[in-house]
């Protein structure tokens, strides 16, 4: 089988990092560290590339009058504001008061409000889930209900009893299920990663 | 006070803006989709802008630009890094192969760490923990046995498309029901978590913004 | 469907009405929190084992301990654990520890910058606070940091040399986790390389089931992973600065009201279930996932 250049890079670099995990060798360790330094820089480069792609897409929309122009303008304004606040001469970067203001006044409340909304959406999803009338959904909702009861913020004797039950439930049945899940997911992850590294199943894609 | 902004004029302005943002996001419930979409656009721009800022200021400059400016003939790695970052950023305008090289490097590292971490950090320790304790109390023994049995059945539940007998099939079916119960339990934890966030947000509006609660 | 039910559904289907009612109920709960309920309401988990484990992990630290705080919560879920994280940081500083904050996610970096500013504004000795900035690359960045942890330019004082040896130089890692990077990532990537490094963690409630198994394996020495464990810890150590009410955050009454509403939803949904009416595929127990 003829392997493409990117697939060869994946195999060689991936195996280098894996072998370095289990074999102590200064030469290997040096090569692995060099790869890690490159990956760290590349991950930051990927963020930069994402920003460039967003500017390209929405800047193009704005210039050509396509799509939601107001939305694109708002997005580009937000995208420009933070780097300007953190990169002007003399700026303290992320710790600059202007950046912290943008985070505290805009970014954090926007994300927090979205996450808070999810409580409502979850309730709606449960209602919709029951519309399909399957036993599986019933089991899931009953389990969710049991966990909620166990976490009710009650004091006194009831609270103490619930806390004892919650402690047992988290350690034994829930702990057992999630240990099985973690093991199962770890096996699946390991097998899939090995297939990628060995270029099985069209990893070139 | 969430501590993200101060108590001075800028902090007060931030609190008002944050409250407006919260109301703008929640306007979705009233059918004001346009305001909600604009809030999403702003969020996407700010989040990407922040990512670009930290990537530039705290990674690319100190780990790439500064070493190259300080000693261009020194370490070779920053030069390679610069070339790969250039390929990544300019991938849109370059031949596909050029852009795929840095991606291949990222995939290789992600895959290798996923494999190593899954086996050494999760698989082996969790398999060990699912064994019964060596000198247990009677209650521990019972609990350990229940937990191990559940773990084993859930693992059976992962068997898809494998030929199996009647007992193994029953175990796999039971395992999948347990898996569903576990996921439902996680849904309960998720609901509690999201409720805490909603309470915090309402508390912010009532306390920090309107001053109705201390 | 009866006419009465139909009218009720029509009433609740007014756009935004029932979320408004939900938020109003929670608002009422927040206003009346502490006034109603008394001893019958209690956030703090009576089973205080998790809080005790965290205290024990901090007790085990040497004088002037060097603690790495890996700040990687999500901005959206941080409010749930904000009070707990601040309490642990205050607790550590009260014990004379030196703190170095590092982030492997951008959102975590935003939180770390805000918390550092808060601590500096509170008068914490700058020589006991190190800003190690942001390390990109997720798992790769974490693994590199095991041996190579450096500050971003201009973000750390000259005394940084004390912590320049990478993660191995620290007495404890306190992992404030989120969806992307959390205690599980640390258990998978750092523990195999530094088995002697104790790792304590604070995570939002929804991550508890995923992270708790690592406590049993000993890969974590302590875990505060539910709002009830958080409240128990807050009750034990007292109110940190900047938290509305340390002993009841996020508030017993609004949490109780919200959870009861969720239970009512679940109860109503399950009660309306008629298994016999499901499709053949939905009734098949063999492949439920």
């Amino acid at each position: 089988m003829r392997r493409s250049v990117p697939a060869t890079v994946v195999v060689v670099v991936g195996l280098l990092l894996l072998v370095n995990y289990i074999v102590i060798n200064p030469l290997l360790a040096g090569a692995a560290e060099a790869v890690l330094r490159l990956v760290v820089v590349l991950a930051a480069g990927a963020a930069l590339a994402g920003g460039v792609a967003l500017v390209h897409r929405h800047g193009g929309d704005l210039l050509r009058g396509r799509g939601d122009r107001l939305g694109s303008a708002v997005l580009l304004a937000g995208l420009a504001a933070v780097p300007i606040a953190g990169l002007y001469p003399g700026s303290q970067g992320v710790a600059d008061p202007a950046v912290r203001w943008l985070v505290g006044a805009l970014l954090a409340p926007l994300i927090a409000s979205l996450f808070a909304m999810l409580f409502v959406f979850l309730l709606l999803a449960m209602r919709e889930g029951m519309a399909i009338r399957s036993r599986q959904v019933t089991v899931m909702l009953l389990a969710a209900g049991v966990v909620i009861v166990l976490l009710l913020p009650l004091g006194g004797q009831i609270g103490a009893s619930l806390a004892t039950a919650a402690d047992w439930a988290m350690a034994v049945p829930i702990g057992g299920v999630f240990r099985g899940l973690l093991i199962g997911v770890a096996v699946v992850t390991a097998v899939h990663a090995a297939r990628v590294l060995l270029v099985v199943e069209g990893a070139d894609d | 006070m969430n501590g993200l902004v101060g108590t001075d004029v800028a902090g007060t302005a931030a609190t008002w803006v944050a409250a407006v943002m919260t109301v703008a996001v929640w306007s979705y419930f009233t059918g004001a989709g346009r305001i909600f979409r604009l809030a999403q656009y702003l969020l996407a721009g700010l989040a990407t802008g922040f990512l670009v800022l930290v990537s530039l200021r705290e990674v690319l400059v100190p780990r790439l630009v500064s070493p190259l400016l300080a000693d261009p003939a020194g370490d070779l790695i920053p030069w390679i890094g610069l070339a790969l970052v250039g390929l990544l950023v300019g991938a849109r305008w370059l031949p596909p192969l050029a852009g795929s090289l840095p991606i291949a490097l990222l995939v290789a590292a992600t895959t290798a760490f996923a494999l190593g971490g899954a086996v050494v950090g999760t698989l082996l320790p969790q398999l060990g923990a699912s064994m019964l304790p060596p000198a247990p109390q009677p209650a521990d023994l019972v609990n350990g046995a229940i937990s191990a049995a559940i773990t084993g059945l859930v693992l059976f539940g992962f068997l898809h498309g494998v030929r199996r007998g009647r007992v193994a099939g029953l175990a796999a079916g039971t395992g999948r029901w347990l898996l569903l119960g576990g996921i439902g339990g996680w849904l309960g934890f998720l609901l509690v978590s999201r409720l805490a966030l909603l309470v915090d947000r309402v508390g912010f509006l009532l306390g920090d913004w309107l001053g109705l609660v201390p | 469907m009866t006419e009465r039910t139909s009218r009720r559904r029509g009433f609740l289907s007014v756009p935004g009405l029932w979320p408004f009612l939900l938020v109003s109920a929670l608002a009422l709960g927040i206003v009346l929190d502490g006034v109603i309920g008394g001893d019958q309401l209690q956030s703090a988990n009576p089973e205080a084992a998790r809080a005790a484990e965290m205290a024990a992990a901090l007790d085990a630290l040497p004088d002037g301990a060097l603690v790495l705080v890996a700040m990687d919560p999500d901005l959206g879920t941080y409010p749930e654990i904000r009070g707990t994280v601040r309490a642990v940081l205050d607790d550590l500083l009260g014990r004379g520890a030196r703190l170095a904050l590092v982030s492997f996610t951008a959102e975590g970096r935003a939180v770390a910058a805000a918390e550092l500013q808060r601590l500096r504004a509170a008068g914490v000795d700058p020589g006991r606070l190190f800003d190690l900035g942001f390390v990109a690359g997720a798992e790769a960045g974490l693994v590199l940091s095991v041996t190579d942890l450096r500050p971003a330019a201009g973000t750390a004082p000259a005394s940084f040399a004390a912590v320049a040896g990478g993660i191995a130089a620290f007495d404890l890692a306190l992992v404030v986790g989120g969806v992307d990077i959390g205690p599980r990532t640390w258990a998978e990537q750092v523990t195999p390389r530094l088995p002697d490094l104790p790792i304590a963690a604070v995570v939002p409630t929804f991550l508890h089931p995923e992270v708790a198994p690592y406590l049993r394996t000993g890969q974590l020495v302590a875990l505060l992973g539910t709002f009830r464990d958080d409240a128990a810890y807050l009750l034990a150590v007292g109110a940190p600065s900047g938290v509305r009410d340390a002993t009841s955050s996020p508030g017993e009454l609004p949490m109780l009201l919200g959870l009861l509403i969720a239970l009512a939803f679940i109860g109503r949904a399950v009660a309306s279930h008629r298994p016999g009416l499901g499709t053949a595929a939905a009734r098949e127990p063999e492949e439920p996932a």
Side-chain angles (χ1 to χ4, degrees):
Chain A
M1 183 176 67
R2 189 172 178 276
R3 288 173 179 172
S4 68
V5 175
T8 308
V9 170
V10 170
V11 173
V12 171
V13 173
L15 289 180
L16 165 73
L17 293 173
L18 271 180
V19 172
N20 179 59
Y21 200 19
I22 46 181
V23 176
I24 298 172
N25 178 292
L27 196 65
L28 274 178
E33 193 194 326
V35 168
L36 284 179
R37 285 169 60 195
L38 281 177
V39 169
V40 166
V41 164
L42 268 178
L48 195 61
V52 169
L54 218 52
V55 170
H56 186 264
R57 160 83 197 278
H58 287 276
D61 283 359
L62 209 54
L63 289 175
R64 294 180 186 87
R66 291 184 313 214
D68 184 351
R69 281 185 289 172
L70 180 60
S72 293
V74 168
L75 183 146
L76 290 173
L79 201 156
V82 184
I84 288 172
L87 293 173
Y88 70 85
S91 167
Q92 300 166 45
V94 177
D96 194 85
V99 175
R100 285 192 288 107
W101 192 92
L102 286 168
V103 170
L106 293 169
L107 185 56
L110 280 169
I111 300 182
S113 306
L114 275 173
F115 273 76
M117 278 172 87
L118 292 180
F119 179 70
V120 178
F121 288 137
L122 280 171
L123 293 182
L124 289 173
M126 290 192 306
R127 199 173 65 182
E128 296 301 315
M130 283 312 293
I132 63 173
R133 297 188 171 187
S134 77
R135 289 174 183 164
Q136 291 89 332
V137 178
T138 308
V139 167
M140 284 177 64
L141 292 191
L142 285 174
V146 169
V147 166
I148 289 174
V149 168
L150 292 176
L151 290 176
L152 285 175
L154 296 176
Q157 187 54 45
I158 298 174
S161 305
L162 281 177
T164 305
D167 207 41
W168 180 83
M170 287 180 198
V172 182
I174 296 175
V177 168
F178 273 86
R179 188 166 301 108
L181 253 175
L182 285 172
I183 294 170
V185 170
V187 170
V188 171
T189 304
V191 169
H192 184 70
R195 291 173 78 96
V196 169
L197 290 181
L198 298 172
V199 201
V200 178
E201 204 179 45
D204 283 18
D205 299 337
Chain B
M1 179 59 65
N2 61 25
L4 290 176
V5 294
T7 52
D8 52 3
V9 176
T12 306
T15 299
W16 274 81
V17 173
V20 170
M21 290 300 119
T22 304
V23 174
V25 170
W26 288 357
S27 70
Y28 177 86
F29 290 126
T30 64
R34 180 75 178 135
I35 296 173
F36 178 70
R37 268 202 306 279
L38 285 177
Q40 281 184 310
Y41 275 116
L42 182 60
L43 172 59
L46 288 165
T48 310
F50 190 83
L51 188 58
V52 168
L53 171 65
V54 291
S55 299
L56 270 174
R57 175 116 187 179
E58 302 198 357
V59 182
L60 292 176
V61 169
R63 290 180 184 266
L64 202 62
V65 178
S66 296
L68 286 177
L69 290 178
D71 184 12
D75 197 354
L76 187 65
I77 298 295
W79 283 111
I80 300 173
L82 185 66
L84 289 172
V85 169
L87 290 176
L88 201 57
V89 174
R92 179 181 296 273
W93 300 280
L94 295 170
L97 178 65
S100 64
L101 280 175
I103 299 290
L105 202 59
L106 288 171
V107 169
T110 305
T111 310
F113 289 125
L115 177 56
V119 174
V120 182
T122 292
L123 189 56
L124 299 179
Q126 295 304 330
L127 279 173
S130 62
M131 308 293 171
L132 295 179
Q137 300 291 317
D140 292 340
L141 191 67
V142 173
N143 286 336
I146 295 171
S147 184
I150 290 173
T151 302
L153 288 168
V154 169
L155 282 173
F156 262 106
F158 273 85
L159 293 174
H160 281 278
V162 178
R163 285 177 65 86
R164 55 188 180 233
R166 185 182 170 84
V167 176
L170 188 66
T174 310
R176 289 201 190 95
W177 282 111
L178 286 168
L179 203 55
L180 275 175
I183 292 169
W186 177 77
L187 178 65
F189 282 100
L190 186 64
L191 271 166
V192 172
S193 213
R194 295 297 179 257
L195 173 63
L197 298 176
L198 185 57
V199 169
D200 179 85
R201 213 64 218 146
V202 176
F204 163 78
L205 292 177
L206 290 179
D208 295 12
W209 185 39
L210 298 175
L212 295 178
V213 289
Chain C
M1 188 184 294
T2 65
E3 190 185 333
R4 191 178 160 192
T5 310
S6 174
R7 268 207 308 272
R8 195 171 64 217
R9 284 206 169 167
F11 170 71
L12 284 175
S13 65
V14 173
L17 183 62
W18 88 258
F20 174 77
L21 292 175
L22 171 69
V23 168
S24 301
L26 296 181
L28 195 66
I30 291 169
V31 172
L32 297 178
D33 192 34
V35 179
I36 294 178
D39 294 342
Q40 295 307 307
L41 298 184
Q42 179 184 325
S43 281
N45 193 345
E47 289 284 328
R50 299 291 90 78
E53 284 163 2
M54 180 60 80
L58 304 193
D59 285 341
L61 291 172
D63 290 340
L66 202 50
V67 177
L68 182 65
V69 183
M71 271 288 194
D72 287 307
D74 313 306
L75 264 178
T77 59
Y78 184 61
E80 187 196 336
I81 55 173
R82 186 176 56 223
T84 313
V85 171
R86 289 179 181 172
V88 179
L89 296 182
D90 285 0
D91 199 357
L92 282 164
L93 288 167
R95 294 163 184 263
R98 293 169 293 158
L99 308 182
L101 275 70
V102 66
S103 298
F104 298 93
T105 60
E107 288 188 21
R109 178 60 180 140
V111 173
E115 292 299 338
L116 276 167
Q117 174 60 28
R118 186 187 64 82
L119 291 171
R120 285 176 185 139
V124 175
D125 176 8
R128 294 173 60 201
L129 287 175
F130 304 101
D131 184 2
L132 302 183
F134 167 67
V135 183
E139 281 90 347
L142 190 54
V143 172
L144 182 65
S145 299
V146 168
T147 53
D148 176 12
L149 201 47
R150 64 180 84 170
T155 55
S159 55
F160 174 76
V163 296
I167 296 175
F170 290 86
D171 298 304
L172 171 78
L174 174 68
V175 179
V176 182
V179 171
D180 294 332
I181 299 282
R184 182 179 166 188
T185 326
W186 276 73
E188 289 190 343
Q189 304 300 339
V190 177
T191 303
R193 292 169 172 88
L194 298 172
D196 295 330
L197 175 74
I199 300 174
V202 181
V203 295
T205 304
F206 75 96
L207 284 177
H208 181 272
E210 177 195 315
V211 175
Y214 295 94
L215 189 65
R216 178 164 174 179
T217 57
Q219 288 161 290
L220 299 177
V221 294
L223 169 67
L224 296 177
T226 69
F227 82 100
R228 299 208 74 188
D229 290 336
D230 292 356
Y233 178 76
L234 287 167
L235 192 64
V237 299
S241 52
V243 178
R244 195 175 285 117
D245 180 356
T247 55
S248 62
S249 181
E252 286 118 353
L253 189 58
M255 285 299 288
L256 181 67
L257 284 173
L259 293 177
L260 290 177
I261 290 169
L263 281 174
F265 253 81
I266 291 172
R268 190 159 175 260
V270 171
S272 67
H273 175 43
R274 301 284 185 276
L277 297 177
T279 63
R283 286 200 305 272
E284 171 58 55
E286 185 65 15
E287 305 282 348

